[in-house]
Amino acid sequence: MEDRKAVDPPHPAQDVTEHVGYRLKRSAAALRGAMDRALREHGLTVPQYACLELLDERPGLSNAELARGAFVTRQSMNVVLRGLQDAGLTSRPAAADRGRALPAHLTAEGRARLDAARSVVYAIERRMVDAVPQRRLAALLADLDRMAEALDG
Amino acid sequence: MEDRKAVDPPHPAQDVTEHVGYRLKRSAAALRGAMDRALREHGLTVPQYACLELLDERPGLSNAELARGAFVTRQSMNVVLRGLQDAGLTSRPAAADRGRALPAHLTAEGRARLDAARSVVYAIERRMVDAVPQRRLAALLADLDRMAEALDG
DNA sequence: TTCTTCATGTCAGGACTTTGACATGAGAGA
DNA sequence: TCTCTCATGTCAAAGTCCTGACATGAAGAA
């Protein structure tokens, strides 16, 4: 017992399940699980949905840009984008106009799929938002951003 | 354009990157990335570290209990736990005393590994906490919990 | 005693995610 | 012109994570 290094917890807590990291993981996992279940009926996975949303908002994003926008590596996004392409939901030119970036776009089918799916995702987020006192929402979002920035630089 | 279903966003936002889901994902991904990098030097992955922490706190948890504590399925935890066992960081009896649950324990090596690793994780969490106004921390954690509960029931 | 239900452990397969690696295109500087 | 740097795309391998499936042990009810 005396040999064990005493490490101060990140903030006052009885155990690890009270730590900010644990609770952040918990809510993120809850969101992920709920989205998985809801999007499944629309034939979409969460990463695919995220990709479609980003493309809807900014048509022509490259694989690397999509990866950055979805907080994954470009290798991961390559796999997701390939799957979407194979499913006919997105399209990309075979070669780049200049450089190496291939601008991706939603197909009509992709757009239709996204439109059908987004309402279930928004409903889930709605439930999260409704669980938080309205006056605290902006601060909560700002705190999340600050924590992310503190780690990302 | 007129054919598109108008769906109300979960809360006022210009685009999807302002949604609570997106920002939660962002901070969770930042935490995951930071932990991945830091724990790597200790020869541990994030899921392994989480498992060790839970076992340190509650020796004898079963695979299914660990899975619930780490917010993953028991199949996923089985893989993690197997890896830890193979690495000599945890141990489990080959058969259960009663029922099916196999109580897992940290080995001395596992405990030492955990002790070495936990300081880097706590330092990361410390950075997150320090980025948030001190007076807001409790509310932030409570809100995270509320959102999780709203989805988990 | 038998059946049902619930929980556990584990195997299988597929999607996602990371790191490492390689190749390529463009721009800037020497 | 050549070299270096940066960014992109893609392949490979290993770990993570999920769902589906099967087997098993225990408890409770009929």
Side-chain angles (χ1 to χ4, degrees), chain A residues 32 45 47 71-76 79 98-100:
Chain A
R32 182 57 189 269
T45 65
F71 311 116
V72 297
T73 60
R74 46 190 225 283
Q75 291 92 330
S76 291
V79 173
R98 59 181 304 280
R100 302 267 291 157

Side-chain angles (χ1 to χ4, degrees), chain A residues 71-149:
Chain A
F71 311 116
V72 297
T73 60
R74 46 190 225 283
Q75 291 92 330
S76 291
M77 186 49 78
N78 186 42
V79 173
V80 176
L81 205 41
R82 277 241 174 276
L84 286 173
Q85 218 162 312
D86 293 344
L89 302 184
T90 60
S91 65
R92 266 193 308 182
D97 292 341
R98 59 181 304 280
R100 302 267 291 157
L102 305 173
H105 289 92
L106 289 186
T107 61
E109 194 182 344
R111 176 160 286 110
R113 186 78 69 84
L114 175 59
D115 284 341
R118 90 188 338 153
S119 58
V120 296
V121 171
Y122 285 11
I124 289 168
E125 289 182 286
R126 183 84 251 171
R127 281 160 60 197
M128 296 175 78
V129 169
D130 286 347
V132 171
Q134 170 68 3
R135 69 190 142 80
R136 289 230 290 269
L137 183 60
L140 167 62
L141 298 179
D143 288 341
L144 288 175
D145 291 345
R146 278 205 203 84
M147 290 195 293
E149 282 152 17

Side-chain angles (χ1 to χ4, degrees), chain A residues 30-102:
Chain A
L31 171 62
R32 182 57 189 269
M35 282 176 80
D36 278 335
R37 288 186 293 273
L39 285 171
R40 197 173 179 181
E41 308 207 354
H42 292 277
L44 286 177
T45 65
V46 174
Q48 289 176 332
Y49 167 79
C51 186
L52 294 180
E53 279 280 15
L54 289 170
L55 275 183
D56 185 46
E57 195 166 289
R58 293 199 196 78
L61 284 181
S62 68
N63 175 69
E65 285 166 329
L66 286 167
R68 283 194 293 275
F71 311 116
V72 297
T73 60
R74 46 190 225 283
Q75 291 92 330
S76 291
M77 186 49 78
N78 186 42
V79 173
V80 176
L81 205 41
R82 277 241 174 276
L84 286 173
Q85 218 162 312
D86 293 344
L89 302 184
T90 60
S91 65
R92 266 193 308 182
D97 292 341
R98 59 181 304 280
R100 302 267 291 157
L102 305 173

